[in-house]
Amino acid sequence: MTYEAIKHNNDINTYIKAADESLAALGFTEHSFAHVTSVAERTGYILEKLGFPDRTVEIGKIAAYLHDIGNVVNRVEHSQSGAVMAFRILDKLGFDAEDIATIVSAIGNHDEGTGVPVSPVAAALILADKSDVRRSRVRNRNEATFDIHDRVNYSVTKSELKINEAHSIVKLKLTVDVHYGSVMDFFEIFMERMILCKKAAEKLGLQFKLIINEQQLI
């Protein structure tokens, strides 16, 4: 079973759509197909760049595509409920136990509240997920009613996650329009996520660097 097959599974896509609708009702930013596809591609990029086997890259992309389905249950502890949902889905699709174990542990550990980079796949998923900050994730079109999450995401006009050629550093480079959100706003809601990214990078043998408007902050 491949990542492409997972992407075209109607049941999985129904859960992703319903999960995003639940988050929309709660006022959260976009967590639908644009988000999970972006996270999957970045997860694959990280693992491939670092020379992991093709199957590990594929498993990482599958974990990333499924990582937010638990939001259909509740935002609270969505990583754990998503892991349980993924187990049932993947078992039903005939995945072997080793692949299921890798995927569900990555999903169950992707959230900054309880997550730990327990494996290379989990670490890559964390970095890919927490680096998906962008203007297009903001649903609210009324700038006057932006909350801090809207301001921070809307302020980011460009986001790049790159591993250097020496495979020693992973950089998250953000271009921020400070008219909408300040660097302090970013750290107010993203500090815990950036700390988890640092731990994830270390799991992969990398140093994590955060660069905002060409200034290195971490």
Side-chain angles (χ1 to χ4, degrees):
M1 183 65 69
T2 65
Y3 166 62
E4 285 300 319
I6 292 295
K7 277 182 66 176
H8 293 93
N9 183 287
N10 288 331
D11 290 345
I12 290 169
N13 288 335
T14 296
Y15 298 139
I16 292 171
K17 182 174 181 292
D20 184 57
E21 289 170 351
S22 293
L23 291 182
L26 294 170
F28 281 81
T29 52
E30 180 267 328
H31 283 69
S32 190
F33 299 107
H35 173 61
V36 299
T37 302
S38 174
V39 174
E41 294 303 320
R42 279 190 174 179
T43 300
Y45 159 76
I46 293 166
L47 294 170
E48 185 174 9
K49 184 77 171 177
L50 294 177
F52 284 91
D54 290 346
R55 186 56 183 167
T56 303
V57 175
E58 198 80 353
I59 289 300
K61 292 167 76 171
I62 291 169
Y65 194 76
L66 297 174
H67 81 279
D68 268 342
I69 58 174
N71 285 303
V72 75
V73 178
N74 198 292
R75 180 61 179 175
V76 178
E77 297 182 352
H78 73 282
S79 56
Q80 285 78 26
S81 55
V84 173
M85 289 177 66
F87 173 85
R88 184 179 184 280
I89 292 166
L90 299 174
D91 186 51
K92 185 178 178 181
L93 290 173
F95 276 68
D96 67 40
E98 185 175 355
D99 287 346
I100 292 175
T102 301
I103 292 168
V104 299
S105 66
I107 294 172
N109 279 284
H110 83 270
D111 187 64
E112 63 272 14
T114 56
V116 177
V118 294
S119 69
V121 168
L125 172 54
I126 288 167
L127 285 165
D129 182 39
K130 307 314 171 193
S131 64
D132 188 25
V133 189
R134 52 186 161 81
R135 177 168 291 187
S136 56
R137 292 193 70 183
V138 178
R139 305 180 202 266
N140 183 3
R141 296 305 174 200
N142 183 358
E143 295 175 16
T145 61
F146 276 3
D147 64 13
I148 189 170
H149 292 85
D150 293 331
R151 291 200 309 272
V152 168
N153 279 277
Y154 198 81
S155 71
V156 177
T157 59
K158 187 175 182 181
S159 171
E160 293 181 292
L161 187 74
K162 295 293 182 183
I163 296 171
N164 67 347
E165 290 305 314
H167 296 174
S168 59
I169 296 170
V170 57
K171 293 181 181 180
L172 174 57
K173 296 183 67 175
L174 303 177
T175 301
V176 173
D177 182 345
V178 295
H179 175 73
Y180 295 101
S182 69
V183 174
M184 284 302 296
D185 285 339
F186 178 88
F187 277 106
E188 184 175 338
I189 64 171
F190 278 86
M191 178 60 83
E192 195 174 8
R193 301 180 197 184
M194 295 301 98
I195 291 171
L196 184 58
C197 281
K198 183 175 181 292
K199 293 177 181 177
E202 290 169 354
K203 179 69 176 181
L204 294 166
L206 303 169
Q207 288 184 320
F208 177 71
K209 296 188 182 298
L210 173 65
I211 300 168
I212 299 180
N213 292 348
E214 302 301 326
Q215 296 295 315
Q216 183 177 316
L217 301 175
I218 296 178

